[in-house]
Amino acid sequence: METATFRIWRGNADGGEFKEYSTEITDGMVVLDAVLQIQAAAANDLAVRWNCKAGKCGSCSAEVNGNPRLMCMTRMDTVPTDQPVAIEPMQTFPSIRDLVTDVSWNFTVKQGIPPFTPRPADAPDGTWRMQQRDVNRVQEFRKCIECFLCQDVCHVLRDHRKHDEFIGPRFLVYAAALEMHPLDVADRVEELAEADGIGYCNITKCCTKVCPEEITITDNAIIPLKERVVDRLYDPISKLLRMFR
Amino acid sequence: MAQVTIAAPVRRFGETTRSDKWWIQPLVVAAGLGLFVAYSTWAAFQGEYYHSGPYLSPFYSPELFGDSPHAWFGPKPAVWPAWLPWSPAFLILGIPVGFRLTCYYYRGAYYKAFWADPPNCAVGEPRASYLGERSFPLIIQNVHRYFMYLAVVFIGLLAHDAWKGLWFTDSATGVTSFGVGVGSLVLMTNVTLLGGYTFGCHSLRHLVGGLADQLSAAAPLRQSTYDCVSCLNRRHMLWAWMSLVWVGFTDVYVRMCAMGIWTDFRLL
């Protein structure tokens, strides 16, 4: 049985430090298993948020060797153990304690996005008709488990702290799911450009790389929304064509 | 927008707990793009050895004015100032350069590689201030679709060049006949790769169907076009690099043949 050393960040909003722990690693373990093992054996007061352990609840988001990951979906055999494994909380959100961060900002942002606004019902019984083809595009966005790893890795939030001006990739995906929905008639384009700050995104694709649900965030959500903003605000030909429609 | 108080970051440039070699990717991108920019600038300034037999270098196509048989409107215009360096490439190179410079893939790549914004994912940045693409100068990137329109025209012109690269004139008899040389294949590969890159453009994807929420109501041709562009778009980065390397190689090939260093072997 192999023993691995972990450097786990311990602290709160006032500060903290990495502390080293060792634990045994067995076949099939994920990082969350190791952390819970450490919590049980060596650090009973270690705060760690987790729930489903199946990559579907988005609770155990953290940074493993500097990479935003779900701890429950990071197999230990993919993590080099010749050096101590660094585990720290998400850097984009305020620390509560140890590996737990306060992600409530995300829920406040979500409330600010105009909700799903369907057109009048297609049939007298109050139902609508949609084509599968049209739904397929937004279906991808609905895979999001709100782990907020994309928010964590986005340098606009992480390094530049534009939380007041930029909603981040998670909510651009959310806005795309609404904006591109075949039944939705609400108009969010100008809000995306102004209040939501889509122009801050400089397409580094870091959000796409860390998404555990493999949503193609940049190419399928953010860039198409950016193009809609260009249509509305920057492209003179599009503006001209709209005048004649 | 939610108002929150979140402590300012304290990470320095390059600071990260990433244990992998995160600096390799931006370094490779910077080296690749830097090499291409250096070579293409040098090649554009040469103004010679850009055509050989039926082949025309893509850096010089379309040759609006010039001394080769490929020139559309004859030699260098008389109004061109004598003090200004001249090359037929100067008249057209801005379009492919502008297309790539404003390309969504390249933007992300060169912001990382040349501006360290960020150096790589989850790695500390050198500057605290950040404007993004919502104000000058980077708001200009939104012009991408106009470069795309022109780039699509260029694909047609390069396809015509590739077609012309299949017709060889016998210098003794003056008779032109169909043939295939290695250069013909180089030119055809070039337009194929550039086509894969151009027709997978994010702006094109938007314009052919992405702007519609109910594409099922569009004509079948439009739906198929959207599917094709989306298919190419999935590998946009790959197409971008393959076409970049190959367009440079195509110029090298034509240049080497024109200088007599390489011989263009006829296959047919």
Side-chain angles (χ1 to χ4, degrees), chain A residues 10-22:
Chain A
R10 305 296 308 272
N12 55 33
D14 298 326
E17 60 181 348
F18 282 101
K19 288 192 176 171
E20 284 202 0
Y21 302 93
S22 292

Side-chain angles (χ1 to χ4, degrees), chain B residues 27-45 57-60 89 92-101 105-106 110 114 158 190 193-194 197 239-253 255:
Chain B
L27 200 66
V28 168
V29 170
L33 293 180
L35 198 67
F36 181 81
V37 169
Y39 175 75
S40 57
T41 305
W42 175 84
F45 269 89
S57 163
F59 288 176
Y60 287 77
I92 51 100
L93 217 51
I95 291 164
V97 167
F99 182 53
R100 288 200 188 246
L101 205 63
Y105 163 67
Y106 281 114
Y110 68 71
F114 293 117
L158 290 171
N190 180 53
L193 294 177
L194 284 172
Y197 169 60
W239 286 109
W241 279 105
M242 289 196 305
S243 61
L244 189 81
V245 170
W246 199 265
V247 75
F249 173 72
T250 306
D251 181 82
V252 170
Y253 187 86
R255 189 169 296 280

Side-chain angles (χ1 to χ4, degrees), chain A residues 23-173:
Chain A
T23 193
E24 287 181 346
I25 302 298
T26 50
D27 287 347
M29 271 179 82
V30 293
V31 169
L32 181 61
D33 291 327
V35 169
L36 294 180
Q37 218 163 259
I38 289 167
Q39 186 191 46
N44 298 150
D45 58 345
L46 173 65
V48 51
R49 185 187 280 140
W50 67 282
N51 195 351
C52 76
K53 236 188 115 188
K56 288 297 166 194
C57 73
S59 301
C60 63
S61 300
E63 300 191 4
V64 179
N65 279 340
N67 294 298
R69 306 288 299 265
L70 289 180
M71 287 191 286
C72 72
M73 298 303 287
T74 308
R75 292 176 61 99
M76 279 307 302
D77 57 11
T78 65
V79 179
T81 50
D82 52 334
Q83 297 287 321
V85 180
I87 302 179
E88 55 193 318
M90 291 191 285
Q91 303 293 297
T92 295
F93 306 111
S95 169
I96 294 177
R97 190 176 146 193
D98 300 338
L99 301 180
V100 179
T101 51
D102 176 5
V103 294
S104 59
W105 169 78
N106 293 286
F107 305 117
T108 314
V109 169
K110 195 172 193 176
Q111 286 171 347
I113 297 171
F116 180 59
T117 313
R119 66 180 185 234
D122 296 336
D125 63 356
T127 57
W128 289 268
R129 303 291 177 267
M130 293 185 288
Q131 296 297 312
Q132 187 63 45
R133 180 189 175 92
D134 299 325
V135 180
N136 283 344
R137 181 159 63 153
V138 293
Q139 203 67 26
E140 178 190 11
F141 308 142
R142 296 179 67 87
K143 290 194 299 179
C144 178
I145 58 171
E146 296 206 324
C147 61
F148 304 125
L149 290 174
C150 57
Q151 305 284 72
D152 181 42
V153 81
C154 175
H155 73 124
V156 182
L157 300 171
R158 184 186 180 92
D159 292 291
H160 301 291
R161 303 283 161 174
K162 299 282 186 189
H163 293 71
D164 293 339
E165 301 170 68
F166 181 56
I167 60 174
R170 159 59 194 137
F171 296 107
L172 291 173
V173 167

Side-chain angles (χ1 to χ4, degrees), chain A residues 189-190 193-194 226-245, chain B residues 139 142 145-146 149 206-207 211:
Chain A
V189 174
E190 288 185 23
E194 302 300 331
K226 272 178 170 265
E227 283 293 313
R228 290 182 181 210
V229 169
V230 176
D231 273 347
R232 181 71 60 84
L233 299 179
Y234 305 121
D235 183 355
I237 294 180
S238 291
K239 284 184 177 179
L240 198 66
L241 289 174
R242 262 200 314 279
M243 286 169 64
F244 293 103
R245 271 183 209 149
Chain B
I139 199 168
N142 291 314
R145 60 179 59 179
Y146 286 94
Y149 299 142
H206 170 75
L207 293 166
L211 51 80

